[in-house]
């Protein structure tokens, strides 16, 4: 069932997806994709955006068959209650781990660039408190906040554009130097960065307008974030030489730090300030999807209490894991599991729905 307090417009849905896609990986993506695709890394990002669009179409087709239900609502009809409960728990774990990883990478950057002596629990705790405060509200308020803070994306773009005063376009040549397989490996790295379109599975029934308008909103968000990541990767490639880019963990920040303005000192700190807001929205999105899963699983009237439980869980995970190797391994496992949760499961549910002619108001219930 939908409620008026949860109703959002297609434009607000666009910014829900956009703000979630543009997250913590903005700083890491150029070096990680370039490690495989070299000067063709920008091509990998475009390819990843195309794959993401195919997943968006698949999720839209699935939700279109159940227009007034979220993923958690219609899964029992397609898989049976027991299997649906298991999948729901797995989704809750998936989004909780996603929040933990974002928080860990966030702290890593803040520690290295701004507050090397500040305790981890204080930095991460403040971020989690801010996320709890907003995520306890209804979807309409969350969407309004995402729309309001979207201005920070323009700030990030403006600062990055100035880097072209120190660029060398020859670094991207020869185009196609990496070959097909390295570009595909780079696309795999970029795919994990572009997650956020899964909002379709959880907010579709609350979005006003026709199915086509909902699809257009999600597609526009994916197109914009793909172009933004492509721009940042391309900019990093033409600013740094290939040997330099491979040594920089946060190439975008190093690029911005090197810029000089007449009245602005340390532009990297301004960029970081905008980036922190973007990270917060990504955490809020994962926290919302996990907490609504818990509230649905236990039959709660709203997700306010589950937000607290979920936040404590992912904060504890982030504080307990300090080893860089464990963080990277967990990140790789999460990256691979994304294909299961965002690709395989929705595709399987869509095939079951089509094969058994199950849709909202239609026949065929799986018990």
């Amino acid at each position: 069932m939908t409620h008026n307090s949860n109703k959002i417009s297609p434009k607000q849905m666009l910014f829900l997806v956009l703000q979630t896609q543009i997250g913590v990986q903005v700083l890491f993506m150029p070096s990680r994709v370039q490690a495989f695709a070299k000067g063709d890394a920008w091509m990998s990002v475009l390819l990843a955006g195309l794959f993401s669009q195919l997943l968006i179409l698949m999720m839209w087709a699935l939700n279109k068959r159940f227009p007034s239900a979220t993923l958690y609502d219609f899964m029992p009809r397609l898989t049976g209650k027991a299997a649906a409960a298991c999948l729901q728990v797995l989704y809750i774990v998936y989004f909780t781990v996603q929040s933990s990883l974002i928080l860990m990478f966030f702290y890593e950057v803040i520690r290295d660039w701004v507050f090397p002596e500040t305790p981890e629990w204080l930095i991460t705790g403040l971020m989690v408190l801010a996320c709890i405060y907003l995520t306890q509200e209804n979807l309409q308020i969350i969407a309004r906040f995402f729309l309001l803070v979207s201005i920070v994306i323009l700030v990030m773009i403006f600062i990055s554009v100035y880097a072209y005063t120190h660029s060398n376009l020859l670094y991207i040549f020869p185009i196609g130097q990496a070959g097909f397989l390295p570009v595909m490996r780079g696309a795999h790295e970029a795919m994990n960065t572009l997650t956020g379109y899964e909002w379709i599975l959880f907010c579709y029934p609350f979005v006003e307008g026709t199915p086509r308008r909902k699809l257009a909103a999600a597609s526009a968000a994916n197109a914009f974030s793909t172009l933004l990541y492509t721009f940042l990767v391309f900019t990093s490639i033409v600013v740094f030489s290939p040997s330099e880019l491979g040594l920089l963990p946060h190439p975008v920040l190093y690029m911005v730090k090197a810029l000089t303005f007449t009245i602005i000192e340390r532009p990297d700190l301004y960029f970081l300030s905008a980036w922190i807001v973007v990270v917060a929205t990504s955490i809020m999105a994962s926290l919302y999807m996990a907490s609504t899963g818990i509230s649905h699983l236990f039959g709660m009237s709203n997700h306010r209490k589950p937000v607290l439980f979920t936040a404590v869980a992912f904060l504890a995970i982030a504080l307990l894991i300090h080893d860089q190797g464990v963080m990277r391994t967990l990140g790789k496992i999460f990256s691979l599991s994304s294909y299961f949760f965002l690709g395989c499961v929705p595709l399987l549910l869509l095939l079951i729905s089509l094969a058994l002619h199950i849709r909202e108001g239609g026949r065929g219930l799986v018990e």
Side-chain angles (χ1 to χ4, degrees), residues 230-252:
T230 302
F231 164 73
L232 291 175
V233 170
F234 185 88
T235 304
S236 299
I237 291 172
V238 299
V239 169
F240 299 107
S241 67
S243 58
E244 289 175 329
L245 190 56
L247 298 174
L248 302 177
H250 315 131
V252 176

Side-chain angles (χ1 to χ4, degrees), residues 332-347:
K332 290 179 180 179
I333 295 173
F334 175 82
S335 178
L336 293 174
S337 67
S338 296
Y339 291 104
F340 174 76
F341 290 105
L342 307 184
C344 295
V345 173
L347 177 60

Side-chain angles (χ1 to χ4, degrees), residues 7-187:
K7 286 290 186 179
I8 62 175
S9 67
K11 180 175 69 174
Q12 290 173 322
M13 177 191 179
L14 186 155
F15 284 97
L16 279 177
V17 176
L18 179 62
Q19 288 286 152
T20 307
Q21 284 189 306
I22 303 173
V24 68
Q25 297 293 341
V26 163
L27 305 183
F28 300 90
M29 185 193 225
S31 59
R32 292 183 178 176
V33 179
Q34 191 268 350
F36 297 101
K38 307 303 178 186
D40 296 329
W42 59 275
M43 297 170 60
S44 294
V45 182
L46 290 175
L47 192 58
L50 178 60
F51 291 152
S52 298
Q53 182 60 35
L54 294 177
L55 293 178
I56 288 172
L57 287 170
M58 179 179 64
M59 293 177 181
W60 172 78
L62 175 61
N63 272 94
K64 189 180 177 184
R65 298 181 67 82
F66 303 93
S68 63
T70 68
L71 175 69
Y72 296 137
D73 294 320
F74 61 71
M75 269 200 300
R77 293 192 60 184
L78 299 175
T79 64
K81 293 182 180 179
C86 292
L87 282 173
Q88 200 163 325
V89 170
L90 291 176
Y91 269 100
I92 293 168
V93 173
Y94 170 79
F95 288 122
T96 302
V97 172
Q98 184 179 49
S99 301
S100 298
L101 284 170
I102 295 173
L103 196 61
M104 283 187 277
F105 289 127
F106 161 75
Y107 170 70
E108 181 183 287
V109 174
I110 297 300
R111 179 198 63 201
D112 294 344
W113 284 85
V114 189
F115 300 118
E117 302 297 330
T118 305
E120 180 181 2
W121 62 267
L122 181 59
I123 293 175
T124 55
L126 288 173
M127 172 60 84
V128 171
L129 283 175
C131 293
I132 290 174
Y133 176 76
L134 187 74
T135 313
Q136 285 187 323
E137 301 297 333
N138 59 57
L139 183 62
Q140 189 177 85
I141 293 177
I142 295 173
R144 287 174 178 174
F145 176 77
F146 278 37
L147 175 59
L148 178 66
V149 300
S150 60
I151 189 67
V152 301
I153 299 175
L154 299 180
V155 174
M156 295 168 65
I157 295 174
F158 172 77
I159 296 176
S160 301
V161 165
Y162 200 77
Y164 278 89
T165 57
H166 306 282
S167 64
N168 183 352
L169 293 176
L170 294 177
Y171 287 150
I172 68 168
F173 294 108
I175 295 177
Q177 58 185 288
F180 177 74
L181 289 179
V183 170
M184 290 297 294
R185 289 283 303 277

Side-chain angles (χ1 to χ4, degrees), residues 198-243:
E198 63 270 21
W199 265 113
I200 300 173
L201 298 171
F202 303 97
C203 74
Y204 187 94
F206 306 111
V207 183
E208 298 173 324
T210 63
R212 287 194 176 187
R213 291 188 64 193
K214 298 176 186 181
L215 174 62
S219 301
N222 182 65
F224 185 90
S225 55
T226 298
L227 292 175
L228 175 60
Y229 277 119
T230 302
F231 164 73
L232 291 175
V233 170
F234 185 88
T235 304
S236 299
I237 291 172
V238 299
V239 169
F240 299 107
S241 67
S243 58

